[in-house]
Amino acid sequence: MIDKPLLAGVMVLLTLSLVMSYSLSTYTVVHFHYSDFHFFIRQSMAVFIGFITMVLLSKMDPDRWFSRIGLLLFFVFFILMIVMQFLPSSLVNAVGGAKRWIRVGPMSIAPVEFFKVGFIFFLSWSFSRKLLDKTKMGFWEEVRAFTPYLFVFLVAVVLIAVFQKDLGQVVVLGVTLTILFLFIGSSWKFFLTLITAGLTAFIGLIFFAPHRMARIKSWWGTVQDNILSVLPFDAAQSLRIEAGKEPYQISNSLNAIHNGGFFGQGLGNGQFKLGYLSEVHTDFILAGITEELGFLGLTLVTLTMLFIVFRIFKIASKVKSPMYYLFSIGAGLLIALAFIVNTYGISGITPIKGIAVPFLSYGGSHIWASCIAIGMVLMISKKVPRDSRGRMR
């Protein structure tokens, strides 16, 4: 029996995604002279494909199909991320010089979304085969044992952060990898060394990319007064920069959230979607939801997302196979971290990273990839012991 509460939670968010893709795309539809249902139809196709894939995966025997599907995801989309850089512009959509989408007929696929799921499988599959049965290792033995995984991750960093200029996805993958290292029993010394090295590399990727430095300075200019107010005057002055024009996306996102109040302006009645927040149905969908459905609507979305992550982690805690356990933990982390990075970005707590909200943001690739991840977790959930009422034991 699959975990029906998990499936129900995902379907709630996918349904809301359809509603909001119609409501929030008003300005874009008018501006580009699309039909009223342009984005709704496209999102409906993505949700339908994702739902069918999720259901089909949930019905498969995990002992037979789980590893095959996971390895296929990892190798196919890892190769596609490499090959994509050499494909002509007629086959690849480039944004700001970064090639992120491959055209397949009338649709585009972002390989990185599927690679994330494959990468989590690869880690869980390899860790369960090579590392979980090892006794306590010394620091340098840990370094040797984990180096192959770090090498694969570094290749992914180059492909995603350098060629695709998408540091947000690297942050999500890097944090997930680090936490999984801790779950399989790495020492705190190695764990802290890895965090230090990761932060150093993260800062380096920012300093050597002018567009990222400009984004950091722009963000710091908007939050420095609140942060520096708690520091001594001399120290605060040394860290203060001349505040430029406030980023309009963050400013309008915060205004949209504030305008929503507790109960919202009503479905379809948002004002900031009318050209103030560009592409609000994608990365800023939570701001659009808050304006139209209010703090209450945002709270229900957040609780549903937490419920989904909770059910995934509960499945992980009950399943006996180390591979299934690690994959479920990784899938839950991918969803939770993407949600956190997006919410922090639209609220101005951190710079905007361009991470889609799982199951909500407009876009076929991330919807399909998220449904694949959930389908594989539902496949795993059939291995969880249950009582006569179907509840996990």
Side-chain angles (χ1 to χ4, degrees), residues 33-44:
H33 306 289
Y34 294 141
S35 68
D36 291 347
F37 292 93
H38 175 82
F39 291 102
F40 177 81
I41 292 173
R42 292 172 70 91
Q43 189 74 343
S44 296

Side-chain angles (χ1 to χ4, degrees), residues 130 214 233 248 268 339:
K130 296 184 177 181
F233 179 79
Y248 78 94
F339 184 73

Side-chain angles (χ1 to χ4, degrees), residues 203-229:
I203 294 171
L205 287 170
I206 292 175
F207 270 94
F208 288 103
H211 71 283
R212 292 187 185 123
M213 281 300 299
R215 187 180 298 174
I216 291 291
K217 289 180 179 179
S218 178
W219 166 78
W220 178 249
T222 65
V223 302
Q224 62 181 348
D225 290 339
N226 293 329
I227 297 176
L228 297 180
S229 62

Side-chain angles (χ1 to χ4, degrees), residues 16 20 24 285-294 297-298 301 360:
L16 180 61
M20 301 313 297
L24 297 178
I285 191 169
L286 289 177
I289 288 174
T290 307
E291 184 183 15
E292 297 198 350
L293 304 182
L298 179 64
V301 168
L360 277 179

Side-chain angles (χ1 to χ4, degrees), residues 89-114:
S89 57
S90 60
L91 295 176
V92 178
N93 290 335
V95 177
K99 296 181 177 180
R100 297 182 181 179
W101 294 275
I102 299 176
R103 287 198 192 97
V104 182
M107 59 186 294
S108 298
I109 292 179
V112 66
E113 297 289 352
F114 300 90

Side-chain angles (χ1 to χ4, degrees), residues 334-356:
L334 284 182
I335 294 170
L337 290 170
F339 184 73
I340 291 171
V341 170
N342 184 278
T343 52
Y344 278 27
I346 67 166
S347 58
I349 297 175
T350 62
I352 301 171
K353 291 295 183 185
I355 295 286

